[in-house]
Amino acid sequence: MIDPLAEVVTLLQPSLRRSKLVSAAGSWGVRQAEQGNPVYCLILEGSCRLTLGDDEPMALQADDFVLIPAWRDMLLSGNEPPRPEDIDRHPVELPNGEHRQGTPEGPHEVRFLAGLCEFGSPDAALLVSLLPRVVLVRDEPRLSTLVQLASDEARAQRPAREVVLARLLEVLFIEALRSTAGTDASPGLLRGLADARLGIAIRHMHENPTRAWTVVQLAKEAALSRSSFFERFSREVGVAPMEYLLAWRMGLAKQLLRRGGGTVAEVAERVGYSSASTFSVAFARHVGMPPMRFARVSGGV
């Protein structure tokens, strides 16, 4: 059976844009101000705090891996609230390539890898909406080997270190999403897949997007009443069932149109529409332009 998470990640095309090895002590704080890209942080030693928007600060400790698929107002800081003048101060670059925040001398209180990723897909915003807004992985045995490898590579000065770190962090990205498919995840695809009954319906949508699905049919696949299925799906996934199916169909349609995967009528049929005109209306409403125009500006024709 098709794996929905693998399909979403494949369409997202995640890659590492840049990363830094950072140590810190004293009063310090680093904000993430670049919009539209995912950020991650892997704590190697010590502890610190992560604050997202107006949320309560989140305590991070050694071996924690945090991934934020879509940018939010984010502050990474020491365990005590930093002084305003110590936020975003230019770090001191040490001889080993490490960046030092806060007090430049003496032992560090925390050491971490932090970086910015990017999604190759032009439809990242659509797909990211299916993911949790924040992923925190800790005490996960499957990730321990990857974390240790990344930690060792970050400390060493081996040839091609940046290339190896990039590959390891790409795998960490995918494994972190997979490991967070539980009730502690924020609403999204992962929480839906973690629900045994909803997971069946989601996999059917991905396996056969051409079928004229209705809420009643999907509820039957999930062995739930229509009302229970609709309420449960909306709560766990964060969108209504038909809204999720539409988002997935539009993601597939965009990919086909960009790659020149057939006429509008053929694309319509491959994503579950009975006619090119019905598909064109839905596509234009969802994307903001007709399919043929999208194909032209995307290089598909």
Side-chain angles (χ1 to χ4, degrees):
M1 185 173 281
I2 284 175
D3 181 350
L5 179 57
E7 287 198 304
V8 170
V9 171
T10 298
L11 285 183
L12 279 171
Q13 303 167 42
S15 63
L16 184 66
R17 184 166 164 185
R18 63 173 179 263
S19 65
K20 287 183 179 180
L21 177 60
V22 182
S23 62
S27 178
W28 63 279
V30 178
R31 288 193 184 277
Q32 170 57 270
E34 187 164 350
Q35 298 189 30
N37 288 297
V39 294
Y40 73 86
C41 182
L42 169 62
I43 308 300
L44 303 174
E45 303 172 37
S47 61
C48 60
R49 302 196 315 172
L50 175 67
T51 306
L52 300 174
D54 297 326
D55 295 351
E56 286 296 312
M58 182 187 305
L60 302 180
Q61 59 197 29
D63 294 342
D64 282 356
F65 182 82
V66 178
L67 173 69
I68 304 172
W71 172 86
R72 297 182 65 212
D73 182 20
M74 177 187 115
L75 174 66
L76 195 65
S77 64
N79 292 312
E80 297 298 325
R83 297 172 301 199
E85 62 268 25
D86 293 326
I87 296 176
D88 289 335
R89 291 180 62 182
H90 193 71
V92 175
E93 187 166 356
L94 304 180
N96 65 353
E98 187 172 297
H99 293 75
R100 183 65 179 255
Q101 288 282 352
T103 307
E105 301 86 13
H108 56 258
E109 297 168 1
V110 65
R111 202 160 182 253
F112 57 88
L113 271 171
L116 187 67
C117 302
E118 63 184 358
F119 295 131
S121 171
D123 312 317
L126 170 70
L127 298 168
V128 166
S129 68
L130 305 177
L131 301 177
R133 65 189 184 95
V134 60
V135 173
L136 170 61
V137 182
R138 62 169 41 133
D139 299 326
E140 174 54 56
R142 287 185 56 84
L143 279 176
S144 61
T145 301
L146 287 170
V147 169
Q148 187 59 53
L149 285 170
S151 177
D152 291 346
E153 195 64 33
R155 291 183 175 91
Q157 292 293 318
R158 302 184 184 101
R161 183 182 75 163
E162 293 304 314
V163 175
V164 173
L165 272 175
R167 298 298 176 267
L168 285 171
L169 289 166
E170 285 174 17
V171 177
L172 267 172
F173 177 96
I174 296 170
E175 188 64 29
L177 290 175
R178 187 163 61 178
S179 299
T180 314
T183 55
D184 291 337
S186 54
L189 175 60
L190 301 181
R191 230 164 81 174
L193 290 173
D195 184 305
R197 297 202 176 179
L198 296 182
I200 292 171
I202 292 171
R203 288 184 175 89
H204 277 298
M205 282 190 268
H206 280 252
E207 190 172 49
N208 191 3
T210 61
R211 182 171 172 180
W213 291 108
T214 65
V215 174
V216 172
Q217 291 169 334
L218 290 168
K220 184 177 180 180
E221 296 289 348
L224 293 168
S225 69
R226 182 192 182 283
S227 58
S228 295
F229 172 75
F230 185 90
E231 188 277 330
R232 192 155 149 179
F233 193 103
S234 301
R235 182 184 67 244
E236 298 301 316
V237 182
V239 295
M242 292 297 101
E243 187 179 347
Y244 178 90
L245 180 59
L246 175 63
W248 181 241
R249 283 173 168 168
M250 291 299 111
L252 292 176
K254 285 181 175 183
Q255 184 189 43
L256 290 169
L257 290 166
R258 277 197 308 272
R259 295 179 177 178
T263 65
V264 171
E266 289 169 337
V267 171
E269 185 178 358
R270 291 177 67 178
V271 297
Y273 286 83
S274 58
S275 71
S277 59
T278 303
F279 166 69
S280 296
V281 169
F283 188 93
R285 184 184 299 121
H286 194 83
V287 178
M289 65 179 77
M292 283 304 295
R293 183 181 168 196
F294 178 86
R296 283 196 298 271
V297 300
S298 302
V301 295

